């Protein structure tokens, strides 16, 4: 944990606003202790269209998740109306459960409970048998909204039957409530309290359509917790349709529900709350112990992008290419004078070392003559005003000659242009 004392400034780590830790801001926070963060990277990678991930790649990601501190992983095994489970999901679940990883896997299956309308096509107890055979220790039936009081009663009876069978075979179980933000609240609470009474170890709430804004999320979680007859841990699953996935996940955590996350926000549609954003925000801005090795976030992020074959968005927070890139005038001049790892950075609140990221500067079209003088001094070159002007123009000309992205000079290129301009008194190509 990097901010156990809720400090707004820690040398070499971060410098944020002290307002984050004022009583007016924090008095209503109710973060779970310990925080029940749950990861969905493996199943969400499987749901991300067009990825090239191999089973070996999944296993490498799983090992990295364990190494970074993930203790709860969520997996899916769904039939999707077929007579057999999805082959790709089945292979993934089998290999992960057999991998001997240090995290607990909660396996959700869509055949563990029906909608209360007649006899389920697939016997839920046969699904329990399959999950036992695969090595599952925790399973997750999901309760969809029933269409009538009679259907609800049948659902509850089926839930009692399947969970009693699971427990008799040594399985623990959670329960998933999908479309939590849009379903009838009273009916949802009946289902939640029924599950708790039967022995659910945790309730996983899902707002997969991003129906709850961050402010509504906090109210929703508090209301839900207040209506539980017996307190059990909660998690909240949200998506990023409005670009608020991280904010909504943190709002849920502040109200008492562990956030569901995935590395790089991998998922279908608009993505998911990224592990690296949620964990870094909680640790730095809220002083919450996530149990995550933040210094390994960049390496984990890079690994997942490599394994799935999706490019890392340059402007992505925390682990994107630009997150710790020094390109503006003040940033580059500071890097030249004091080194790229100086603290505090001119821009940004978090030092790159916190997340294990690299720092570099580039020479952009925003360069100044002061930067020329500093770079020359770093290289041991004596320059007068005329030499500075010549080098300044040479550097800008070199950038203008670049026709494709990225239109900048690396430190090595900038140094070469400067040396040549000082040596000859004329511009030179990078």
């Amino acid at each position: 944990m990097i901010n156990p004392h809720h400090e707004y400034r820690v040398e070499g780590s971060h410098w944020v606003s002290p307002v984050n830790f004022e009583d007016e801001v924090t008095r209503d926070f109710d973060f779970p202790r310990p925080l029940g963060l749950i990861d969905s990277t493996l199943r969400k990678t499987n749901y991300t269209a067009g990825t090239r991930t191999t089973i070996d790649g999944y296993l490498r990601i799983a090992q990295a998740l364990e190494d970074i501190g993930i203790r709860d992983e969520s997996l899916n095994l769904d039939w999707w109306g077929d007579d057999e489970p999805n082959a790709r999901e089945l292979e993934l679940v089998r290999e992960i459960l057999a991998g001997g990883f240090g995290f607990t896997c909660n396996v959700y299956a869509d055949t563990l409970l029906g909608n209360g309308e007649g006899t389920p096509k697939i016997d839920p107890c046969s699904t329990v048998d399959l999950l036992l055979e695969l090595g599952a220790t925790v399973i997750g039936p999901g309760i969809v909204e029933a269409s009538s009081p009679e259907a609800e009663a049948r659902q509850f009876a089926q839930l009692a039957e399947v969970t009693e069978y699971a427990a008799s075979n040594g399985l623990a179980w959670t329960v998933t409530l999908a479309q939590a933000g849009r379903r009838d609240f009273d009916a949802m609470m009946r289902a939640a309290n029924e599950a708790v009474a039967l022995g659910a170890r945790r309730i996983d709430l899902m707002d997969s359509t991003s129906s709850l804004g961050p402010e509504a999320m906090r109210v929703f979680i508090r209301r839900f917790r207040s209506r539980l007859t017996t307190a059990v841990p909660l998690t909240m699953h949200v998506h990023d349709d409005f670009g608020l996935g991280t904010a909504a996940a943190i709002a849920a955590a502040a109200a008492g529900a562990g956030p569901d996350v995935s590395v790089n926000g991998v998922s279908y549609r608009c993505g998911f709350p990224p592990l690296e954003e949620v964990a870094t925000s909680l640790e730095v801005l809220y002083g919450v112990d996530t149990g995550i090795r933040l210094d390994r976030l960049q390496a984990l992020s890079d690994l997942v992008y490599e394994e799935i074959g999706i490019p890392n968005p340059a402007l992505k927070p925390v682990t994107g290419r630009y997150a710790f890139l020094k390109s503006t005038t003040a940033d580059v001049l500071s890097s030249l004078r004091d080194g790229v790892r100086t603290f505090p950075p001119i821009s940004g609140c978090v030092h790159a070392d916190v997340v294990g990221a690299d720092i570099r500067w580039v020479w952009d079209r925003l360069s100044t003559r002061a930067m020329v003088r500093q770079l020359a001094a770093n290289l041991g070159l004596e320059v007068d005003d005329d030499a500075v002007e010549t080098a300044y123009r040479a550097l800008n000309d070199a950038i203008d000659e670049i026709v494709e992205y990225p239109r900048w000079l690396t430190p090595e290129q900038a140094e070469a242009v400067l040396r040549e301009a000082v040596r000859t008194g004329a511009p030179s190509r990078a």
Side-chain angles (χ1 to χ4, degrees):
M1 183 179 181
I2 66 172
N3 195 17
H5 304 297
H6 298 188
E7 297 175 273
Y8 69 89
R9 177 168 176 162
V10 176
E11 292 301 314
S13 174
H14 62 271
W15 185 8
V16 298
S17 172
V19 178
N20 288 296
F21 306 106
E22 291 181 1
D23 179 68
E24 184 178 355
V25 175
T26 64
R27 68 176 62 139
D28 294 327
F29 288 169
D30 193 12
F31 289 101
R33 296 288 193 271
L35 182 75
L37 185 148
I38 187 169
D39 179 76
S40 291
T41 301
L42 299 172
R43 69 186 183 91
K44 287 296 187 178
T45 294
N46 196 42
Y47 284 171
T48 304
T51 58
R52 66 183 185 200
T53 324
T54 64
I55 289 298
D56 285 343
Y58 279 114
L59 294 173
R60 285 189 286 270
I61 292 171
Q63 185 60 63
L65 290 169
E66 177 185 336
D67 293 344
I68 205 171
I70 292 299
R71 293 296 172 259
D72 284 287
E73 187 71 20
S74 180
L75 298 174
N76 279 56
L77 182 61
D78 294 321
W79 275 246
W80 301 108
D82 286 349
D83 294 330
E84 297 179 349
N86 179 270
R88 178 71 168 173
E89 285 190 333
L90 179 60
E91 183 183 20
L92 177 60
V93 171
R94 176 182 290 113
E95 294 299 324
I96 295 300
L97 292 180
F101 298 106
F103 46 68
T104 297
C105 289
N106 180 76
V107 186
Y108 167 88
D110 62 1
T111 55
L112 285 174
L113 190 64
N115 60 9
E117 301 291 344
T119 302
K121 179 180 178 181
I122 304 296
D123 176 21
C125 290
S126 70
T127 301
V128 173
D129 291 336
L130 174 59
L131 293 173
L132 280 166
E133 178 186 330
L134 293 172
T137 58
V138 184
I139 63 172
I143 306 178
V144 299
E145 190 162 11
S147 61
S148 67
E150 294 75 20
E152 180 182 82
R154 284 191 290 270
Q155 268 190 328
F156 292 172
Q158 291 167 355
L159 180 66
E161 179 183 356
V162 73
T163 56
E164 181 181 359
Y165 182 70
S168 70
N169 282 279
L171 290 174
W173 60 281
T174 66
V175 71
T176 297
L177 300 176
Q179 299 292 346
R182 301 198 305 196
R183 67 197 289 176
D184 180 84
F185 194 81
D186 289 338
M188 180 170 60
M189 292 312 307
R190 286 196 299 272
N193 284 318
E194 182 70 18
V196 170
L198 290 170
R201 63 181 288 180
R202 188 182 73 211
I203 295 176
D204 296 328
L205 298 167
M206 302 182 74
D207 186 32
S208 294
T209 56
S210 305
S211 73
L212 289 160
E215 296 79 11
M217 176 67 75
R218 194 168 295 176
V219 171
F220 178 88
I221 295 296
R222 288 172 178 162
R223 189 176 296 166
F224 188 96
R225 293 178 66 197
S226 72
R227 293 277 299 274
L228 282 174
T229 54
T230 302
V232 295
L234 304 180
T235 70
M236 174 53 86
H237 163 123
V238 299
H239 278 249
D240 199 33
D241 297 69
F242 297 99
L244 295 171
T246 295
I250 290 172
D260 193 355
V261 297
S262 69
V263 177
N264 301 333
V266 292
S267 186
Y268 59 91
R269 211 169 66 244
C270 300
F272 210 57
L275 165 65
E276 57 279 8
E277 295 178 23
V278 173
T280 304
S281 297
L282 286 173
E283 294 258 1
V284 172
L285 296 173
Y286 297 86
V288 173
D289 185 1
T290 64
I292 298 299
R293 287 284 306 273
L294 298 189
D295 61 322
R296 299 187 180 184
L297 284 174
Q298 184 70 59
L300 175 61
S301 173
D302 293 343
L303 172 67
V304 172
Y305 280 127
E306 178 183 352
E307 293 293 350
I308 69 178
I310 294 179
N312 184 348
L315 297 175
K316 186 190 177 304
V318 183
T319 58
R321 186 182 189 189
Y322 280 51
F324 298 101
L325 180 71
K326 307 301 182 183
S327 61
T328 64
T329 302
D331 273 332
V332 174
L333 190 54
S334 172
S335 297
L336 292 173
R337 286 175 176 168
D338 307 313
V340 293
R341 311 200 89 79
T342 185
F343 185 88
I346 298 298
S347 58
C349 290
V350 178
H351 198 284
D353 289 346
V354 169
V355 297
D358 192 19
I359 311 173
R360 61 189 182 122
W361 63 267
V362 294
W363 201 281
D364 191 63
R365 205 56 168 84
L366 295 172
S367 60
T368 65
R369 292 165 181 82
M371 291 162 54
V372 173
R373 290 189 180 90
Q374 186 61 54
L375 181 57
N378 291 359
L379 297 175
L381 301 175
E382 294 185 5
V383 292
D384 57 18
D385 289 346
D386 289 340
V388 168
E389 188 64 27
T390 297
Y392 176 70
R393 293 180 182 278
L395 287 159
N396 286 337
D397 289 346
I399 292 174
D400 288 342
E401 291 177 2
I402 302 172
V403 296
E404 296 181 349
Y405 170 85
R407 296 191 65 199
W408 64 46
L409 302 178
T410 66
E412 295 77 17
Q413 290 172 325
E415 290 171 6
V417 171
L418 177 57
R419 289 183 186 277
E420 183 66 12
V422 171
R423 185 182 71 83
T424 65
S428 171
R429 292 179 182 273

